[in-house]
Amino acid sequence: MMGGQQNGLNQLVSFLLGVSAAAALIFFLSSAGGKGAWLTDVSSWANGTVAATAPAAKEANLTSTAAHVEEKASKSQAASPAAAEEERELEKLLAAVADEHRTVIMTSVNEAWAAPGSLLDLFLEGFRAGEGIARFVDHLLIVALDDGAFRRCRAVHPHCYRLAVAGRNFTDEKVFMSEDYLDLVWSKVKLQQRILELGYNFLFTDVDILWFRDPFERMSMAAHIVTSSDFFIGDAYNPANFPNTGFLYVRSSRRAVAAMEAWRAARASYPGKHEQQVLNEIKRELVARRGVRIQFLDTAHVAGFCSNAHDFATLYTMHANCCVGLGAKLHDLRNLLQEWRTYRQMPDEQRRRGPVRWKVPGICIH
Protein backbone atom coordinates (compact mmCIF):
# COMPACT_ATOMS: atom_id res chain seq x y z
CA MET A 1 0.00 0.00 0.00
CA MET A 2 2.78 2.28 1.00
CA GLY A 3 4.65 1.56 -2.24
CA GLY A 4 1.50 2.30 -4.26
CA GLN A 5 0.99 5.64 -2.53
CA GLN A 6 4.63 6.52 -3.08
CA ASN A 7 4.34 5.60 -6.77
CA GLY A 8 1.20 7.73 -7.17
CA LEU A 9 2.84 10.63 -5.43
CA ASN A 10 5.83 10.41 -7.76
CA GLN A 11 3.53 10.44 -10.80
CA LEU A 12 1.68 13.48 -9.47
CA VAL A 13 4.93 15.37 -8.88
CA SER A 14 6.20 14.47 -12.36
CA PHE A 15 2.94 15.65 -13.88
CA LEU A 16 3.03 18.98 -12.04
CA LEU A 17 6.67 19.54 -12.97
CA GLY A 18 5.87 18.83 -16.62
CA VAL A 19 2.97 21.29 -16.66
CA SER A 20 5.13 23.96 -15.02
CA ALA A 21 7.96 23.44 -17.52
CA ALA A 22 5.59 23.65 -20.46
CA ALA A 23 4.02 26.85 -19.15
CA ALA A 24 7.43 28.38 -18.60
CA LEU A 25 8.52 27.45 -22.12
CA ILE A 26 5.37 28.95 -23.66
CA PHE A 27 5.85 32.16 -21.69
CA PHE A 28 9.51 32.37 -22.74
CA LEU A 29 8.72 31.83 -26.40
CA SER A 30 6.02 34.47 -26.39
CA SER A 31 8.42 37.04 -24.95
CA ALA A 32 11.55 36.08 -26.89
CA GLY A 33 10.76 37.13 -30.37
CA GLY A 34 7.10 36.88 -30.96
CA LYS A 35 6.65 35.37 -34.37
CA GLY A 36 8.63 32.18 -34.00
CA ALA A 37 11.99 33.78 -34.58
CA TRP A 38 13.45 32.05 -31.55
CA LEU A 39 12.15 28.68 -32.72
CA THR A 40 13.84 29.23 -36.05
CA ASP A 41 17.12 30.02 -34.31
CA VAL A 42 16.85 26.92 -32.13
CA SER A 43 16.12 24.75 -35.14
CA SER A 44 19.05 26.22 -37.03
CA TRP A 45 21.35 25.73 -34.08
CA ALA A 46 20.22 22.12 -33.64
CA ASN A 47 20.95 21.43 -37.29
CA GLY A 48 24.31 23.19 -37.16
CA THR A 49 23.26 25.80 -39.74
CA VAL A 50 23.43 29.07 -37.80
CA ALA A 51 26.90 30.07 -38.99
CA ALA A 52 26.13 29.16 -42.56
CA THR A 53 22.75 30.88 -42.79
CA ALA A 54 23.55 34.13 -40.99
CA PRO A 55 25.38 35.79 -43.93
CA ALA A 56 22.66 34.65 -46.32
CA ALA A 57 19.99 36.10 -44.06
CA LYS A 58 21.90 39.37 -43.83
CA GLU A 59 22.22 39.60 -47.60
CA ALA A 60 18.54 38.74 -48.04
CA ASN A 61 17.75 41.68 -45.80
CA LEU A 62 19.54 43.95 -48.31
CA THR A 63 17.62 42.66 -51.32
CA SER A 64 14.24 43.95 -52.44
CA THR A 65 11.89 41.00 -52.09
CA ALA A 66 8.72 40.44 -54.06
CA ALA A 67 6.67 40.83 -50.89
CA HIS A 68 8.30 44.18 -50.12
CA VAL A 69 7.65 45.42 -53.65
CA GLU A 70 4.06 44.19 -53.57
CA GLU A 71 3.43 45.94 -50.26
CA LYS A 72 4.78 49.24 -51.61
CA ALA A 73 2.78 48.87 -54.82
CA SER A 74 -0.43 48.27 -52.88
CA LYS A 75 0.06 51.44 -50.87
CA SER A 76 0.80 53.43 -54.01
CA GLN A 77 -2.19 52.08 -55.94
CA ALA A 78 -4.52 52.69 -53.01
CA ALA A 79 -3.89 56.42 -53.29
CA SER A 80 -5.99 57.03 -56.42
CA PRO A 81 -6.87 55.43 -59.77
CA ALA A 82 -4.55 57.90 -61.48
CA ALA A 83 -1.66 56.88 -59.22
CA ALA A 84 -2.41 53.22 -59.91
CA GLU A 85 -2.30 53.88 -63.65
CA GLU A 86 1.01 55.74 -63.32
CA GLU A 87 2.38 52.79 -61.34
CA ARG A 88 1.36 50.27 -64.01
CA GLU A 89 2.86 52.43 -66.75
CA LEU A 90 6.13 52.78 -64.82
CA GLU A 91 6.38 49.02 -64.24
CA LYS A 92 5.68 48.35 -67.91
CA LEU A 93 8.36 50.80 -69.05
CA LEU A 94 10.97 49.52 -66.61
CA ALA A 95 10.46 45.96 -67.79
CA ALA A 96 10.90 47.09 -71.40
CA VAL A 97 13.95 49.29 -70.81
CA ALA A 98 16.04 47.40 -68.24
CA ASP A 99 19.11 45.47 -69.35
CA GLU A 100 19.94 41.89 -68.36
CA HIS A 101 21.17 43.15 -64.97
CA ARG A 102 17.87 44.99 -64.30
CA THR A 103 19.62 48.34 -64.73
CA VAL A 104 17.85 51.34 -66.21
CA ILE A 105 19.53 54.51 -67.46
CA MET A 106 17.32 57.53 -66.94
CA THR A 107 17.24 61.24 -67.56
CA SER A 108 14.59 63.94 -67.20
CA VAL A 109 13.46 66.81 -69.42
CA ASN A 110 10.94 69.62 -69.47
CA GLU A 111 9.60 71.23 -72.64
CA ALA A 112 12.48 73.71 -72.86
CA TRP A 113 15.12 70.98 -72.63
CA ALA A 114 13.25 68.63 -74.99
CA ALA A 115 12.61 71.18 -77.76
CA PRO A 116 14.17 70.52 -81.19
CA GLY A 117 17.85 71.47 -81.14
CA SER A 118 17.91 71.66 -77.35
CA LEU A 119 19.59 69.51 -74.71
CA LEU A 120 17.70 66.26 -75.39
CA ASP A 121 18.77 66.16 -79.04
CA LEU A 122 22.37 66.89 -78.06
CA PHE A 123 22.26 64.26 -75.31
CA LEU A 124 21.08 61.54 -77.73
CA GLU A 125 23.61 62.66 -80.34
CA GLY A 126 26.37 62.08 -77.81
CA PHE A 127 25.59 58.36 -77.64
CA ARG A 128 25.87 58.05 -81.42
CA ALA A 129 29.18 59.93 -81.43
CA GLY A 130 30.71 58.08 -78.47
CA GLU A 131 32.93 55.02 -78.41
CA GLY A 132 30.72 51.93 -78.40
CA ILE A 133 27.93 53.42 -76.30
CA ALA A 134 25.08 53.70 -78.80
CA ARG A 135 23.57 50.52 -77.29
CA PHE A 136 22.77 52.36 -74.06
CA VAL A 137 19.97 54.29 -75.76
CA ASP A 138 17.95 51.05 -75.81
CA HIS A 139 18.04 51.08 -72.00
CA LEU A 140 17.27 54.78 -71.58
CA LEU A 141 14.09 55.94 -69.87
CA ILE A 142 13.32 59.61 -70.46
CA VAL A 143 11.22 61.18 -67.71
CA ALA A 144 9.06 63.99 -69.07
CA LEU A 145 8.14 66.67 -66.54
CA ASP A 146 5.32 68.24 -68.56
CA ASP A 147 3.03 67.43 -71.48
CA GLY A 148 5.13 69.27 -74.05
CA ALA A 149 8.24 67.32 -73.05
CA PHE A 150 6.27 64.08 -73.19
CA ARG A 151 5.04 64.76 -76.73
CA ARG A 152 8.53 65.67 -77.92
CA CYS A 153 10.03 62.62 -76.19
CA ARG A 154 7.55 60.30 -77.91
CA ALA A 155 8.60 61.79 -81.24
CA VAL A 156 12.28 60.93 -80.80
CA HIS A 157 12.46 58.00 -78.35
CA PRO A 158 10.36 54.88 -77.61
CA HIS A 159 10.62 54.89 -73.80
CA CYS A 160 9.06 57.97 -72.20
CA TYR A 161 7.45 58.36 -68.78
CA ARG A 162 5.27 61.30 -67.79
CA LEU A 163 6.01 62.29 -64.20
CA ALA A 164 3.17 64.31 -62.72
CA VAL A 165 3.82 66.54 -59.71
CA ALA A 166 0.63 67.94 -58.24
CA GLY A 167 0.33 71.71 -58.40
CA ARG A 168 3.57 72.29 -60.31
CA ASN A 169 4.30 73.39 -63.87
CA PHE A 170 7.78 72.43 -65.04
CA THR A 171 7.35 73.48 -68.68
CA ASP A 172 9.84 76.36 -68.73
CA GLU A 173 13.49 76.39 -67.78
CA LYS A 174 13.66 76.61 -64.00
CA VAL A 175 15.84 79.16 -62.25
CA PHE A 176 18.46 77.44 -60.12
CA MET A 177 17.33 77.14 -56.45
CA SER A 178 13.87 78.57 -57.13
CA GLU A 179 10.93 76.87 -55.39
CA ASP A 180 9.94 75.14 -58.63
CA TYR A 181 13.51 73.98 -59.13
CA LEU A 182 13.65 72.44 -55.65
CA ASP A 183 10.35 70.63 -56.12
CA LEU A 184 11.60 69.38 -59.47
CA VAL A 185 14.81 67.84 -58.15
CA TRP A 186 13.12 66.29 -55.11
CA SER A 187 10.41 64.75 -57.29
CA LYS A 188 13.18 62.94 -59.17
CA VAL A 189 14.54 61.48 -55.92
CA LYS A 190 11.08 60.15 -55.07
CA LEU A 191 10.82 58.46 -58.47
CA GLN A 192 14.31 57.02 -58.12
CA GLN A 193 13.36 55.47 -54.79
CA ARG A 194 10.28 53.90 -56.37
CA ILE A 195 12.40 52.35 -59.11
CA LEU A 196 14.62 50.76 -56.46
CA GLU A 197 11.56 49.46 -54.62
CA LEU A 198 10.44 47.74 -57.81
CA GLY A 199 13.73 45.86 -57.90
CA TYR A 200 15.61 47.81 -60.58
CA ASN A 201 18.99 49.52 -60.40
CA PHE A 202 19.20 52.95 -61.96
CA LEU A 203 21.83 55.23 -63.40
CA PHE A 204 20.45 58.74 -63.47
CA THR A 205 22.19 61.20 -65.76
CA ASP A 206 21.27 64.85 -66.16
CA VAL A 207 20.37 65.69 -69.73
CA ASP A 208 23.17 68.29 -69.86
CA ILE A 209 25.78 65.51 -69.64
CA LEU A 210 27.55 64.25 -72.75
CA TRP A 211 28.64 60.60 -72.73
CA PHE A 212 31.84 59.69 -74.62
CA ARG A 213 32.70 56.23 -73.26
CA ASP A 214 31.10 53.53 -71.10
CA PRO A 215 31.03 54.98 -67.54
CA PHE A 216 30.22 51.59 -66.00
CA GLU A 217 33.90 50.77 -66.53
CA ARG A 218 34.74 53.28 -63.79
CA MET A 219 32.07 52.11 -61.32
CA SER A 220 32.42 49.49 -58.60
CA MET A 221 29.56 47.02 -58.31
CA ALA A 222 30.51 46.62 -54.63
CA ALA A 223 29.15 50.12 -53.96
CA HIS A 224 25.53 50.70 -52.99
CA ILE A 225 25.67 54.24 -54.40
CA VAL A 226 27.99 55.70 -57.04
CA THR A 227 28.00 59.44 -57.64
CA SER A 228 29.96 61.88 -59.73
CA SER A 229 31.94 64.52 -57.87
CA ASP A 230 32.02 68.28 -58.02
CA PHE A 231 35.45 68.06 -56.39
CA PHE A 232 37.44 64.84 -55.98
CA ILE A 233 40.17 64.50 -53.35
CA GLY A 234 41.71 61.23 -54.54
CA ASP A 235 40.04 58.51 -52.42
CA ALA A 236 36.92 57.12 -54.09
CA TYR A 237 35.30 56.07 -50.79
CA ASN A 238 36.15 59.11 -48.70
CA PRO A 239 32.98 61.02 -47.76
CA ALA A 240 35.02 64.21 -47.77
CA ASN A 241 34.48 64.23 -51.56
CA PHE A 242 31.73 66.53 -52.83
CA PRO A 243 28.95 64.61 -54.59
CA ASN A 244 27.19 65.69 -57.75
CA THR A 245 23.92 63.80 -58.04
CA GLY A 246 23.46 64.74 -61.67
CA PHE A 247 25.20 61.45 -62.37
CA LEU A 248 24.04 58.87 -59.85
CA TYR A 249 23.96 55.07 -59.82
CA VAL A 250 22.12 53.15 -57.08
CA ARG A 251 21.92 49.38 -56.82
CA SER A 252 18.53 48.05 -55.71
CA SER A 253 18.58 46.71 -52.15
CA ARG A 254 16.75 47.29 -48.90
CA ARG A 255 19.73 49.27 -47.64
CA ALA A 256 19.64 51.52 -50.70
CA VAL A 257 15.89 52.08 -50.33
CA ALA A 258 16.38 52.98 -46.67
CA ALA A 259 19.14 55.40 -47.67
CA MET A 260 16.83 57.07 -50.20
CA GLU A 261 14.09 57.34 -47.57
CA ALA A 262 16.54 58.96 -45.15
CA TRP A 263 17.72 61.32 -47.87
CA ARG A 264 14.19 62.48 -48.66
CA ALA A 265 13.29 62.79 -44.98
CA ALA A 266 16.36 64.97 -44.38
CA ARG A 267 14.93 67.63 -46.69
CA ALA A 268 12.84 68.94 -43.79
CA SER A 269 16.00 69.44 -41.71
CA TYR A 270 17.66 71.50 -44.45
CA PRO A 271 14.94 73.81 -45.82
CA GLY A 272 15.79 75.64 -49.00
CA LYS A 273 18.52 73.18 -50.00
CA HIS A 274 18.40 70.99 -53.09
CA GLU A 275 18.88 67.25 -53.04
CA GLN A 276 22.61 67.34 -53.74
CA GLN A 277 23.29 69.72 -50.86
CA VAL A 278 21.25 67.55 -48.49
CA LEU A 279 23.09 64.39 -49.57
CA ASN A 280 26.34 66.20 -48.85
CA GLU A 281 25.07 66.96 -45.35
CA ILE A 282 24.05 63.37 -44.53
CA LYS A 283 26.66 61.36 -46.48
CA ARG A 284 28.77 60.63 -43.38
CA GLU A 285 25.75 59.37 -41.48
CA LEU A 286 24.80 57.09 -44.37
CA VAL A 287 28.29 55.62 -44.39
CA ALA A 288 28.95 55.39 -40.64
CA ARG A 289 25.52 54.52 -39.25
CA ARG A 290 23.74 52.82 -42.12
CA GLY A 291 26.67 50.98 -43.67
CA VAL A 292 26.11 52.47 -47.13
CA ARG A 293 29.11 52.17 -49.45
CA ILE A 294 29.33 55.37 -51.53
CA GLN A 295 31.81 55.57 -54.39
CA PHE A 296 32.77 59.05 -55.61
CA LEU A 297 33.91 59.09 -59.22
CA ASP A 298 37.16 60.74 -60.24
CA THR A 299 36.66 63.99 -62.15
CA ALA A 300 39.44 62.88 -64.51
CA HIS A 301 36.91 60.42 -65.95
CA VAL A 302 33.41 61.64 -65.03
CA ALA A 303 34.02 65.34 -65.38
CA GLY A 304 32.14 68.59 -65.22
CA PHE A 305 32.69 72.22 -66.03
CA CYS A 306 33.32 72.74 -62.29
CA SER A 307 36.33 70.41 -62.35
CA ASN A 308 37.77 68.51 -65.29
CA ALA A 309 41.06 67.02 -66.50
CA HIS A 310 41.17 68.61 -69.97
CA ASP A 311 42.11 65.34 -71.65
CA PHE A 312 39.92 63.41 -74.07
CA ALA A 313 42.05 60.29 -73.46
CA THR A 314 40.64 59.89 -69.94
CA LEU A 315 37.20 61.42 -70.42
CA TYR A 316 34.03 59.33 -70.07
CA THR A 317 31.35 61.97 -69.49
CA MET A 318 31.19 65.74 -69.24
CA HIS A 319 28.57 67.63 -67.24
CA ALA A 320 27.67 71.24 -67.98
CA ASN A 321 27.55 72.11 -64.29
CA CYS A 322 28.75 75.41 -62.89
CA CYS A 323 26.96 76.86 -65.89
CA VAL A 324 23.76 78.90 -65.62
CA GLY A 325 21.41 79.23 -68.56
CA LEU A 326 20.24 76.88 -71.27
CA GLY A 327 21.93 78.85 -74.05
CA ALA A 328 25.33 78.76 -72.33
CA LYS A 329 25.12 75.00 -71.73
CA LEU A 330 24.16 74.32 -75.36
CA HIS A 331 26.95 76.52 -76.70
CA ASP A 332 29.72 74.84 -74.75
CA LEU A 333 28.45 71.27 -75.07
CA ARG A 334 28.04 71.59 -78.84
CA ASN A 335 31.59 72.87 -79.17
CA LEU A 336 32.85 70.06 -76.96
CA LEU A 337 31.06 67.41 -79.02
CA GLN A 338 32.54 68.80 -82.22
CA GLU A 339 36.02 68.69 -80.72
CA TRP A 340 35.40 65.10 -79.63
CA ARG A 341 34.60 64.17 -83.22
CA THR A 342 37.87 65.78 -84.30
CA TYR A 343 39.71 63.82 -81.61
CA ARG A 344 38.23 60.51 -82.81
CA GLN A 345 39.44 61.19 -86.34
CA MET A 346 43.05 61.69 -85.19
CA PRO A 347 45.58 58.94 -85.94
CA ASP A 348 46.23 56.68 -82.94
CA GLU A 349 49.84 57.81 -82.78
CA GLN A 350 48.82 61.42 -82.40
CA ARG A 351 46.37 60.51 -79.62
CA ARG A 352 49.06 58.63 -77.72
CA ARG A 353 51.57 61.50 -77.74
CA GLY A 354 49.97 63.38 -74.91
CA PRO A 355 46.85 64.95 -73.52
CA VAL A 356 44.46 66.03 -76.24
CA ARG A 357 42.72 69.11 -74.91
CA TRP A 358 39.66 70.93 -76.07
CA LYS A 359 39.59 74.62 -76.82
CA VAL A 360 38.85 76.91 -73.89
CA PRO A 361 37.44 79.12 -72.68
CA GLY A 362 33.82 78.79 -73.65
CA ILE A 363 30.97 80.62 -72.01
CA CYS A 364 31.27 78.36 -68.96
CA ILE A 365 33.95 75.73 -69.59
CA HIS A 366 37.52 76.72 -68.76
Side-chain angles (χ1 to χ4, degrees), residues 108 163 184-193 204 206:
S108 61
L163 177 63
L184 167 63
V185 295
W186 283 107
S187 70
K188 291 187 292 187
V189 177
K190 181 179 180 181
L191 175 62
Q192 290 165 355
Q193 178 181 326
F204 177 81
D206 275 344

Side-chain angles (χ1 to χ4, degrees), residues 55-271:
K58 184 177 180 181
E59 186 61 30
N61 187 50
L62 300 180
T63 305
S64 295
T65 63
H68 175 67
V69 169
E70 184 176 343
E71 177 188 356
K72 289 283 187 177
S74 298
K75 290 179 180 178
S76 177
Q77 292 175 9
S80 70
E85 180 59 33
E86 286 182 18
E87 181 80 7
R88 286 191 293 270
E89 179 64 16
L90 178 60
E91 292 181 13
K92 177 182 173 182
L93 282 167
L94 292 173
V97 172
D99 67 9
E100 66 274 21
H101 306 295
R102 294 180 67 82
T103 298
V104 173
I105 300 168
M106 57 185 298
T107 192
S108 61
V109 293
N110 63 10
E111 188 170 4
W113 302 333
S118 192
L119 286 172
L120 179 58
D121 284 353
L122 191 61
F123 177 74
L124 294 173
E125 187 180 348
F127 287 98
R128 294 188 292 269
E131 290 185 355
I133 59 173
R135 69 187 188 280
F136 288 130
V137 175
D138 294 335
H139 305 293
L140 173 67
L141 177 65
I142 299 176
V143 178
L145 303 173
D146 55 62
D147 292 337
F150 186 65
R151 287 191 297 270
R152 170 65 178 157
C153 178
R154 294 289 295 270
V156 299
H157 188 68
H159 308 302
C160 307
Y161 176 71
R162 173 68 169 93
L163 177 63
V165 180
R168 289 296 178 192
N169 179 3
F170 296 135
T171 299
D172 299 323
E173 180 186 2
K174 297 304 168 191
V175 176
F176 184 67
M177 296 306 293
S178 66
E179 186 177 355
D180 276 353
Y181 174 85
L182 292 176
D183 283 345
L184 167 63
V185 295
W186 283 107
S187 70
K188 291 187 292 187
V189 177
K190 181 179 180 181
L191 175 62
Q192 290 165 355
Q193 178 181 326
R194 185 67 193 123
I195 290 172
L196 296 177
E197 291 168 349
L198 290 169
Y200 293 91
N201 318 308
F202 72 81
L203 172 54
F204 177 81
T205 169
D206 275 344
V207 75
D208 62 345
I209 294 179
L210 284 177
W211 289 36
F212 301 103
R213 297 181 174 92
D214 179 359
F216 288 100
E217 295 176 358
R218 312 306 311 183
M219 296 159 58
S220 170
M221 292 301 103
H224 298 108
I225 297 174
V226 182
T227 177
S228 60
S229 311
D230 270 345
F231 300 100
F232 183 73
I233 64 172
D235 179 356
Y237 288 91
N238 190 331
N241 289 296
F242 288 83
N244 186 302
T245 55
F247 192 88
L248 180 72
Y249 170 84
V250 184
R251 178 164 50 87
S252 179
S253 67
R254 285 191 180 275
R255 183 169 294 180
V257 171
M260 298 294 282
E261 288 175 342
W263 186 9
R264 291 177 57 212
R267 180 185 183 184
S269 301
Y270 300 97

